[in-house]
Amino acid sequence: MADCAETPSVAALRAGGGLVALAILCACAPKGAAPPPAALSLDCAQPFEAQKARLTAQPNLTPAPHESAEPYRFYSTTDGRASYLITEAGAPGHPAIMMQAAKGGEVKTTGCAYGSRKGYDQLLAYLESLKTWSRR
């Protein structure tokens, strides 16, 4: 158990009687395993198709199920720290690529507007609204 760091969550597990669960988690964690590679940042100097291919080829990226009524695709890194929205024909602002990255408890949205700026701004407003959405 000496390999497990004493973080606030580890301390909370110990205080809550989770010592056994903590021991199991530490025993199952691979020793010296490298963290997943960081998500690629956007490079708006690249053409849309080239950037789309570069981003979607990341080994640590998982596509969300595609909703046929929505003209864009979502992809997220396996660690959940970054997501991409890549527009398809018919989407506001198409072609456009947006990225949301979580860091320090905040989600920052960046993007590349290859098409209509007005449509891109609509898309940005939509993504920003998802930050505050909650299921009731």
Side-chain angles (χ1 to χ4, degrees):
M1 282 223 352
D3 290 343
C4 295
E6 183 75 16
T7 63
S9 57
V10 170
L13 274 174
R14 286 186 183 189
L19 190 56
V20 173
L22 179 63
I24 292 169
L25 287 173
C26 288
C28 295
K31 304 291 185 225
L40 295 175
S41 58
L42 298 181
D43 178 2
C44 297
Q46 287 192 1
F48 173 79
E49 288 297 333
Q51 176 143 240
K52 175 183 171 182
R54 179 179 75 96
L55 295 173
T56 58
Q58 295 178 83
N60 62 328
L61 202 64
T62 303
H66 185 250
E67 177 60 48
S68 61
E70 295 183 351
Y72 36 79
R73 298 288 313 256
F74 284 99
Y75 299 84
S76 296
T77 55
T78 53
D79 64 6
R81 293 185 178 160
S83 294
Y84 303 95
L85 178 147
I86 300 176
T87 63
E88 296 177 337
H94 180 70
I97 299 176
M98 304 187 96
M99 177 181 184
Q100 290 191 311
K103 187 173 183 180
E106 293 185 6
V107 177
K108 181 180 178 185
T109 304
T110 57
C112 300
Y114 297 99
S116 157
R117 185 63 196 199
K118 182 179 177 184
Y120 175 86
D121 290 343
Q122 280 182 290
L123 200 54
L124 178 61
Y126 168 68
L127 274 183
E128 292 296 316
S129 75
L130 294 178
K131 291 179 185 178
T132 59
W133 181 84
S134 64
R135 186 171 293 188
R136 298 191 190 267

